[in-house]
Amino acid sequence: MAVITISRRSYSGGALLAQELHERLGWPLLSQEDVSSAAAETYRITEQELFRGLYLPANFFERFTNQKERYLLATQAQVTQLLPDGNGIYHGLAGQFLFQDLCNAFKVRVVAPTEYRIETAMTRLGISRGEAVKTLAHDDVHRERWSRQIFAVDITDPDLYDLVVNLENIGIPAAADMITEIMSREDYQPTPQCMRDYGDFSLDRRVRAELYFNSPFHRGIVDIEVHDGVVNLSGGKAFAAAEDAMVEFVSRIPGVVEISTDQGTVSTVDI
């Protein structure tokens, strides 16, 4: 199994390709909007805050306080909760970065001709051709600024993706055929280590997000590492003073089974 992420410029057919894959593979399908809505509820922030915090270019205060990285954390944590088995399809902004270093992620970039995008924007938004051209130009500049500010990359760089699909030369059904065939190949089946890595990544993101958004503890007092399902907590004097309460808090996070500190490793059933 794998997580397929679909990245695209606005009005480029990414959502249509995601839906086509969902119907063929039967895998769970998540949009950026689905995840943002769930994350806002889970981490007690508004959808407007999350959108502003993650998808708009950062102002000076946000760059100084790393707020956007925190909202990315909330998004990653929520996606892994919604895809607990590491199997699904996600389409929307930031998809290629959510699972960037995981071997069970298959990152797709959809490219569409300008005329296709203009006509799609005109139809979907009910606007004139001139307005559609302006909308696309604004969206493209915004997304390029966003990717450079948060990830220091060019979002159009093909090296960020496992597959780039140009809809000028191939239709959505054919693209879905190709991706479905790739997913069936033996060399694209996640290994047991890939799945363990996904489990550790998922647990790490959720523990960090719960501590940051839903706990009384200052985020800077604890170092977190997850390995083979064990949550390792460490830190200095401030962490030592709050250690017992923090261990108890972390033990209540769904999926946490064992917690390790300098005092030893404990099972959550014993806490």
Side-chain angles (χ1 to χ4, degrees):
M1 299 297 187
V3 177
I4 300 173
T5 65
I6 299 177
S7 167
R8 75 288 185 269
R9 285 180 166 176
S10 57
Y11 307 104
S12 293
L16 295 175
L17 176 58
Q19 182 63 39
E20 188 84 15
L21 287 169
H22 168 64
E23 294 173 359
R24 292 173 187 236
L25 295 168
W27 294 1
L29 174 63
L30 296 176
S31 69
Q32 170 189 316
E33 293 76 18
D34 295 332
V35 175
S36 294
S37 178
E41 181 176 352
T42 301
Y43 299 113
R44 298 186 296 181
I45 51 181
T46 68
E47 289 186 56
Q48 291 76 16
E49 285 177 312
L50 186 60
F51 181 85
R52 167 71 202 178
L54 184 57
Y55 300 116
L56 297 182
N59 58 35
F60 174 79
F61 175 75
E62 290 166 337
R63 290 195 295 270
F64 182 75
T65 58
N66 296 319
Q67 280 193 353
K68 290 188 177 295
E69 287 78 1
R70 304 301 174 183
Y71 289 122
L72 176 63
L73 169 64
T75 302
Q76 289 174 318
Q78 191 63 58
V79 169
T80 59
Q81 287 187 63
L82 295 171
L83 301 177
D85 298 326
N87 176 49
I89 303 161
Y90 172 88
H91 67 94
L93 195 60
Q96 70 275 31
F97 301 115
L98 295 179
F99 310 105
Q100 192 168 13
D101 299 321
L102 292 177
C103 55
N104 71 317
F106 187 75
K107 300 177 287 294
V108 178
R109 175 73 172 177
V110 176
V111 179
T114 300
E115 190 59 34
Y116 174 97
R117 298 178 65 207
I118 291 173
E119 292 180 1
T120 301
M122 290 171 62
T123 300
R124 192 177 302 175
L125 300 178
I127 57 179
S128 69
R129 180 181 181 83
E131 291 172 321
V133 170
K134 290 180 181 178
T135 296
L136 295 179
H138 174 271
D139 287 353
D140 291 347
V141 170
H142 154 65
R143 293 188 182 204
E144 289 171 9
R145 285 181 57 198
W146 168 84
S147 66
R148 291 184 186 279
Q149 283 189 353
I150 297 183
F151 301 103
V153 298
D154 177 0
I155 200 171
T156 64
D157 183 354
D159 288 342
L160 295 174
Y161 308 95
D162 299 299
L163 178 69
V164 178
V165 177
N166 188 339
L167 294 181
E168 184 171 16
N169 303 313
I170 184 173
I172 287 175
D177 283 342
M178 180 169 56
I179 297 170
T180 300
E181 194 278 329
I182 290 172
M183 291 296 99
S184 70
R185 293 174 60 91
E186 183 63 31
D187 50 350
Y188 274 92
Q189 303 310 303
T191 64
Q193 185 60 54
C194 276
M195 299 313 298
R196 285 194 293 271
D197 289 346
Y198 181 85
D200 286 347
F201 173 82
S202 172
L203 192 55
D204 176 275
R205 296 292 91 182
R206 287 186 284 117
V207 169
R208 291 177 186 273
E210 287 291 340
L211 285 171
Y212 180 79
F213 291 102
N214 292 333
S215 85
F217 308 107
H218 189 279
R219 63 181 181 274
I221 70 172
V222 61
D223 295 317
I224 303 166
E225 183 177 331
V226 177
H227 183 68
D228 288 340
V230 179
V231 179
N232 300 282
L233 305 176
S234 61
K237 293 182 179 180
F239 168 72
E243 181 174 340
D244 290 343
M246 187 175 293
V247 167
E248 182 179 358
F249 178 88
V250 172
S251 72
R252 297 197 299 268
I253 298 173
V256 175
V257 177
E258 287 186 285
I259 302 171
S260 176
T261 69
D262 290 341
Q263 296 184 28
T265 301
V266 296
S267 170
T268 55
V269 299
D270 298 324
I271 298 176

